[in-house]
């Protein structure tokens, strides 16, 4: 554990085991909610058939869209519950790296570029790695 006692925030509890557990919980809930939102978008807005068509337009077999929707849904639920958090976070990283390279890579770095650059999905992949390293944190069913 890092000694932050000489830091103003450290004196208020930052860096403590409790603060780290709460940080892992907040990250886990945020990541899980984002995955559910993206699954919702693919299922209810784009539709699975439309998502499959988009994947095919990227040169990826269309059926990967169905796997992605399932991974985002099940992964999101698992993260929110804190079920096998570290493993689930690691398993979801390829989904974001695929999005960063295949769907957004040609659009440049900035996500506000037309059709979104790779900035956001790459950062999301890094947050998944951080979650995997932190574990589930507070209120997790398993690490």
């Amino acid at each position: 554990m890092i000694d932050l006692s000489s830091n103003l925030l450290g004196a208020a509890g930052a860096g403590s085991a409790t603060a780290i557990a709460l940080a892992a919980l907040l990250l886990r809930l945020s990541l899980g909610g984002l995955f559910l939102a993206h699954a919702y978008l693919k299922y209810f807005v784009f539709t699975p058939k439309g998502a499959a068509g988009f994947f095919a337009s990227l040169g990826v077999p269309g059926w990967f869209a169905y796997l992605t929707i399932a991974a985002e849904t099940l992964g999101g639920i698992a993260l929110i519950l804190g079920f096998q958090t570290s493993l689930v976070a690691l398993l979801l990283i390829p989904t974001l790296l695929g999005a960063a390279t295949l769907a957004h890579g040609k659009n440049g770095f900035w996500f506000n570029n037309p059709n979104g650059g790779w900035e956001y999905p790459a950062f999301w992949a890094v947050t998944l790695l951080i979650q995997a390293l932190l574990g589930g944190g507070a209120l997790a069913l398993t690490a």
Side-chain angles (χ1 to χ4, degrees):
M1 175 134 12
I2 298 171
D3 181 14
L4 295 177
S5 58
S6 63
N7 180 306
L8 288 176
L9 293 178
S16 68
T18 300
I20 292 168
L22 289 173
L25 167 66
L26 290 172
L27 182 60
R28 195 180 84 226
L29 294 175
S30 299
L31 290 169
L34 283 171
F35 273 108
L36 289 180
H38 277 255
Y40 177 92
L41 184 68
K42 287 177 186 70
Y43 194 81
F44 292 106
V45 177
F46 300 139
T47 74
K49 183 179 177 182
F54 177 70
F55 276 53
S57 77
L58 298 173
V60 178
W63 55 267
F64 260 63
Y66 298 95
L67 289 179
T68 300
I69 294 168
E72 289 175 344
T73 302
L74 297 174
I77 292 168
L79 287 173
I80 289 169
L81 295 175
F83 177 75
Q84 294 297 319
T85 304
S86 294
L87 176 62
V88 170
L90 287 176
L91 290 174
L92 288 169
I93 289 173
T95 303
L96 275 302
L97 294 179
T101 57
L102 297 172
H104 300 285
K106 65 185 178 300
N107 304 328
F109 176 73
W110 301 112
F111 200 69
N112 65 341
N113 288 348
N115 297 315
W118 56 270
E119 166 193 15
Y120 174 65
F123 179 74
W124 195 355
V126 171
T127 62
L128 285 168
L129 178 59
I130 293 166
Q131 184 74 70
L133 293 170
L134 285 173
L139 306 176
L141 292 178
T142 59

